[in-house]
Amino acid sequence: MFRSFISSFKRLLTAAGLLALALLLAVEFLAVRSGWIWSATPQSATGAFDALERHVIAKSARPAVVFFGSSRMRDAIMPRRLAKAAGLAPASVMNLGITTGNPFDAVRFYQRNRDRLKHSCIFVVGIEDWYLNGESSPTHRDRRFATLGERLNEFPSQFRLSLLAGWIFRTYDARALIQSFLWTRTLSIFTGDDPSRVWLTEDGRIRWRSAETETGPDVDPEVGATADGLVRGYTKDGYLFRALRRFIDLARSDGVRVLVTRVPLRQTYLDYIAARHSGFLRAYEAETASLRNAEILQRDEPSGWGLVPGDFYDYGHLALRGARKYSERFGRLLKTEYSETLSASRCRPTERRRATGR
C-alpha cells in the first residue's frame, strides 16, 4: 500500500511538473515572445509605447517637429498649442515623450517608424541629468526591445547578466509586467476601471496620471529627496548619452535637424543639485556640451520661460498652466530662430501628401 502511495505521488508530481512546464512555455511563447503582454495594458510603461505608435504616429501625417523625451517632456509640450504659436499646421507637431523615457526610446521610435518620421524638419530631444548615472536601471522597454548585442555591450556591466537572462528567457524580462497585468485586471473587477483604455489628451499626448492638474503647489517639500534619489549611488556611465549620439546620427543621416534641450525644472531643484551634487552637475554639463551634430538649448531655468513655482506639478513636471506657457514660448522660439528650417518644402507638405500621409 505504501509503495502504491509513493508511486501515485510520483506520478502526480510528474503530471504537475509537466503542467507547470506547459503553462510556462505558453506564457513564454504566446504572451511574451509574441509581444502581446508588452502592449496588453496601454497605461503601462510599455503599453504607452504601442499606444503612441498606434494612436499618434500611425494616425498623423508626416510631422514637421517631433519631441522625444521622458515624462517631463510628455507633460510639457502641448502639440496643438505649440504648432499654433510656431505658425505650423495643427497636426504637424508630435510629442512622443513617455514615462521613464530615455534616448533608447527615441532610437526605437525612429527605427520602427522611420519611413514616416524621417521627413520631419526638426527633432527636439529632451535630456535629463540622471541620464549620466550608470545606476539607472534598464526600463521595461529596454528589456522588451534590446538586442543581444545591446544587452552585452551598451548597458552598464552590473545589468548585463540580468539582461542576458532576459534575452534567453523572455518571461524573466516581463515578470514585473505580468504581475502588474494580473493585478490591474483583478483590481478592475472591483473598481470598474478599464485597464485597456488609452489615456490620450485631445492633442495627442499620452496622459499618465488619471487626471491632470491646472496648477501645482508653490513649494515642493520633496525636491531634495527627489534630487538625492536621482543621483543616489551615482557612478558615471554615459550609456544613455551614447544612445543619444546614436539617435542624433540616425536623424542627421536623414537630414533632420536635432535640438537637444532640458525641460525647465523648479529653481529649488536646480539650486539643490548645484549645492549638494556639484560634481554630478559638472559631469552632466560636460557630457551635454560634448554632443556633436546637434544644437544644445541650455535653457532649463524656469524664469527664462516665464514659469513660476505653481506651474510645476512636482520637482520638474509641468502642470497644465505651465505646459501652456512653455508650449507657446517654445513655439515662438521655433518660429523666430528656426523659421528658415520650418519654411522648407519638406515641412509644409502639399495637400495631397497631407491627405495620403506620403
Side-chain angles (χ1 to χ4, degrees):
M1 174 123 182
F2 180 73
R3 288 181 180 177
S4 176
F5 172 77
I6 293 296
S7 178
S8 298
F9 184 68
K10 286 181 177 179
R11 287 196 297 270
L12 181 62
L13 283 179
T14 300
L18 291 174
L19 177 60
L21 178 61
L23 289 174
L24 193 60
L25 290 174
V27 171
E28 174 74 6
F29 288 96
L30 299 180
V32 182
R33 289 187 181 270
S34 70
W36 175 80
I37 191 64
W38 304 101
S39 59
T41 306
Q43 298 164 20
S44 70
T46 57
F49 188 98
D50 293 83
L52 283 169
E53 286 193 324
R54 289 196 306 267
H55 298 282
V56 177
I57 298 176
K59 294 183 179 180
S60 300
R62 292 173 179 174
V65 183
V66 183
F67 288 80
F68 300 87
S70 69
S71 56
R72 296 201 318 108
M73 181 65 81
R74 175 203 66 201
D75 288 354
I77 295 297
M78 295 179 167
R80 304 295 183 267
R81 188 172 290 269
L82 185 144
K84 183 178 180 180
L88 297 170
S92 62
V93 177
M94 187 181 292
N95 185 351
L96 300 181
I98 192 169
T99 302
T100 66
N102 65 48
F104 277 115
D105 293 305
V107 170
R108 285 155 193 148
F109 271 129
Y110 195 56
Q111 289 177 328
R112 289 164 59 91
N113 303 277
R114 193 168 186 170
D115 286 345
R116 186 175 295 269
L117 297 179
K118 70 180 181 181
H119 299 286
S120 305
C121 289
I122 296 175
F123 286 162
V124 182
V125 188
I127 56 173
E128 306 293 344
D129 47 16
W130 55 266
Y131 283 178
L132 197 59
N133 190 350
E135 296 301 315
S136 298
S137 301
T139 68
H140 289 309
R141 293 183 300 275
D142 294 331
R143 291 185 173 277
R144 175 185 180 181
F145 292 120
T147 64
L148 178 60
E150 288 174 334
R151 291 167 188 257
L152 295 179
N153 299 303
E154 298 297 328
F155 290 88
S157 58
Q158 66 266 35
F159 301 121
R160 289 176 187 168
L161 182 60
S162 170
L163 288 167
L164 178 60
W167 184 81
I168 296 170
F169 182 45
R170 300 293 287 128
T171 301
Y172 177 79
D173 268 349
R175 63 195 186 281
L177 193 63
I178 294 170
Q179 293 172 358
S180 175
F181 173 83
L182 295 173
W183 170 250
T184 55
R185 288 308 191 274
T186 302
L187 194 62
S188 68
I189 297 174
F190 303 98
T191 63
D193 293 337
D194 180 8
S196 64
R197 180 164 59 97
V198 178
W199 286 351
L200 280 173
T201 62
E202 291 182 359
D203 58 4
R205 289 178 298 145
I206 284 289
R207 189 178 70 191
W208 185 256
R209 295 181 289 273
S210 58
E212 293 184 297
T213 57
E214 176 65 21
T215 60
D218 288 331
V219 177
D220 180 6
E222 301 298 322
V223 160
T226 299
D228 292 338
L230 294 173
V231 181
R232 182 177 295 119
Y234 167 65
T235 56
K236 181 180 178 181
D237 191 307
Y239 81 100
L240 291 176
F241 273 86
R242 289 194 294 273
L244 176 57
R245 290 182 173 88
R246 180 178 164 193
F247 173 74
I248 292 170
D249 289 342
L250 281 170
R252 294 300 300 138
S253 70
D254 287 330
V256 183
R257 195 170 182 177
V258 181
L259 311 182
V260 176
T261 192
R262 185 161 68 151
V263 174
L265 299 110
R266 278 186 189 261
Q267 190 61 50
T268 49
Y269 175 90
L270 295 173
D271 294 342
Y272 188 93
I273 287 287
R276 301 291 185 89
H277 304 287
S278 57
F280 172 78
L281 178 61
R282 285 194 299 271
Y284 158 75
E285 291 174 340
E287 193 74 21
T288 302
S290 72
L291 294 172
R292 297 292 180 265
N293 299 320
E295 298 167 60
I296 313 301
L297 300 179
Q298 288 283 33
R299 306 182 184 184
D300 52 11
E301 293 196 356
S303 59
W305 299 93
L307 298 170
V308 297
D311 290 328
F312 290 90
Y313 176 84
D314 53 16
Y315 79 101
H317 293 82
L318 289 172
L320 290 175
R321 187 180 70 187
R324 284 194 294 270
K325 291 180 182 180
Y326 185 64
S327 298
E328 290 171 357
R329 294 201 176 203
F330 208 109
R332 291 197 293 271
L333 180 148
L334 292 176
K335 185 176 183 179
T336 56
E337 298 188 23
Y338 299 91
S339 58
E340 184 175 347
T341 299
L342 293 176
S343 64
S345 59
R346 66 186 285 168
C347 293
R348 298 185 179 277
T350 63
E351 291 302 320
R352 180 178 179 275
R353 283 171 60 191
R354 285 196 190 104
T356 62
R358 296 182 178 180

